[in-house]
Amino acid sequence: KRRILNREEVESMNPNDETCGDRKPLPMSQCALRSRNPIREIVDNLVIPTPPEDKPLILLSIGDPTKFGNLKTPQIFVDAICEAVRDFSSHGYTHSAGIPAARAAVAQRYSYGGSKLVEDDVIIASGCSGALEIAIKALASEGDNMLVPCPGFSLY
């Protein structure tokens, strides 16, 4: 069974050791060495009591809100996705900043007064973490200071 190795396991591996087999560890980047998720450390060690039978536990997980059935995809979305797959109109890659028509619609919706936005002003990201990463990489340099709310979601 394959699994992702944690930092300690990777750091303790000797690339010349025969027990590594065909897999040799790649050196971790400085960015990866500085990364940790304190929320994950807490959540991984939680002991969740069994709820009473008359009060089912509703999991409000980090990540995919559909994983435990708490947020069902509306049927109209499912139908539209199935149709797009069947008619081969949406196969392949789109522009890395998002579908141009969607970017134009966002620009139109958020234009106001003398501040007219155009499609090229809009980048559509895959989630808040991705959007924040794009914004921070565009605005901050290594070594810059940032104010981060505390408590906050650790990946931000």
Side-chain angles (χ1 to χ4, degrees), residues 14 16-21:
N14 177 351
N16 300 318
D17 186 347
E18 294 300 318
T19 61
C20 289

Side-chain angles (χ1 to χ4, degrees):
K1 183 178 176 184
R2 301 192 97 172
R3 65 184 179 80
I4 297 173
L5 303 177
N6 65 37
R7 180 187 315 209
E8 291 78 24
E9 290 171 311
V10 171
E11 289 174 348
S12 70
M13 289 178 79
N14 177 351
N16 300 318
D17 186 347
E18 294 300 318
T19 61
C20 289
D22 294 341
R23 297 183 307 154
K24 304 293 183 200
L26 295 173
M28 294 177 74
S29 70
Q30 289 302 308
C31 181
L33 289 170
R34 290 190 303 262
S35 299
R36 69 183 271 273
N37 184 339
I39 299 296
R40 179 85 271 148
E41 293 168 12
I42 293 168
V43 171
D44 286 345
N45 294 306
L46 282 179
V47 177
I48 301 172
T50 305
E53 286 187 32
D54 63 332
K55 294 192 180 230
L57 179 64
I58 298 174
L59 298 170
L60 302 174
S61 307
I62 294 174
D64 182 358
T66 65
K67 181 171 174 106
F68 299 104
N70 299 327
L71 180 62
K72 301 246 185 273
T73 303
Q75 190 61 44
I76 193 168
F77 290 7
V78 173
D79 295 343
I81 292 166
C82 290
E83 182 58 32
V85 170
R86 281 189 207 103
D87 72 13
F88 297 98
S89 65
S90 300
H91 294 197
Y93 293 105
T94 186
H95 190 286
S96 60
I99 297 170
R103 293 169 51 214
V106 169
Q108 180 181 1
R109 167 65 178 86
Y110 289 97
S111 291
Y112 65 94
S115 298
K116 179 163 174 31
L117 298 173
V118 296
E119 173 186 320
D120 287 341
D121 294 325
V122 177
I123 296 173
I124 297 177
S126 57
C128 189
S129 294
L132 285 169
E133 180 180 8
I134 290 168
I136 291 169
K137 284 183 174 180
L139 299 172
S141 297
E142 184 143 349
D144 286 354
N145 292 319
M146 291 177 37
L147 295 176
V148 180
C150 186
F153 184 56
S154 60
L155 297 181
Y156 301 163

